[in-house]
């Protein structure tokens, strides 16, 4: 496990509060604004996405860049009992499904 993955796992396990920037991004998305989120590795993008999935009570499709990211996100979705309404695929995986 890389250092960034370890830090991300610790942030999720400890339920650290979202940063002001993360909260602003979530509110923008909830209010139907197109939003682009960029951050360094370990900057909280996965935490942001997971929190967003918890708050939006609709079916959600997450597209991941590669299979490792999709697998990690699916593990987090299962741990948070979100797998029934949130699905994560790679672009290729979505087309193959």
């Amino acid at each position: 496990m890389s250092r960034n993955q370890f830090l991300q796992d610790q942030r999720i396990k400890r339920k650290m509060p979202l940063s002001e920037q993360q909260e602003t991004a979530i509110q923008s998305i909830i209010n139907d604004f197109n939003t682009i989120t960029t951050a360094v590795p370990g900057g909280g993008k996965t935490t942001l996405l997971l929190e967003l999935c918890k708050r939006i009570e609709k079916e959600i499709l997450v597209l991941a860049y590669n299979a490792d990211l999709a697998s990690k996100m699916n593990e987090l979705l299962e741990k948070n009992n979100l797998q029934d309404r949130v699905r994560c695929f790679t672009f290729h995986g979505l087309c193959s499904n």
Side-chain angles (χ1 to χ4, degrees), residues 38-79:
T38 60
V40 298
K45 296 179 295 292
T46 302
T47 301
L48 172 79
L49 182 56
L50 188 60
E51 183 63 27
L52 186 61
C53 290
K54 290 177 184 177
R55 292 190 194 186
I56 296 177
E57 296 182 8
K58 298 179 181 178
E59 288 187 350
I60 298 171
L61 171 64
V62 175
L63 293 175
Y65 181 74
N66 62 41
D68 288 340
L69 292 173
S71 176
K72 178 68 173 172
M73 188 65 192
N74 281 316
E75 287 175 20
L76 291 171
L77 293 171
E78 286 183 31
K79 286 181 185 176

Side-chain angles (χ1 to χ4, degrees), residues 6-20:
F6 174 78
L7 292 174
Q8 187 70 23
D9 288 348
Q10 293 306 307
R11 171 178 267 161
I12 291 169
K13 286 178 186 173
R14 287 185 285 158
K15 299 189 181 206
M16 292 177 66
L18 296 177
S19 70
E20 183 178 332

Side-chain angles (χ1 to χ4, degrees), residues 8-45:
Q8 187 70 23
D9 288 348
Q10 293 306 307
R11 171 178 267 161
I12 291 169
K13 286 178 186 173
R14 287 185 285 158
K15 299 189 181 206
M16 292 177 66
L18 296 177
S19 70
E20 183 178 332
Q21 293 88 355
Q22 288 172 312
E23 192 61 50
T24 299
I26 285 177
Q27 290 307 315
S28 293
I29 294 165
I30 289 173
N31 291 320
D32 289 330
F33 289 101
N34 293 329
T35 305
I36 297 172
T37 302
T38 60
V40 298
K45 296 179 295 292

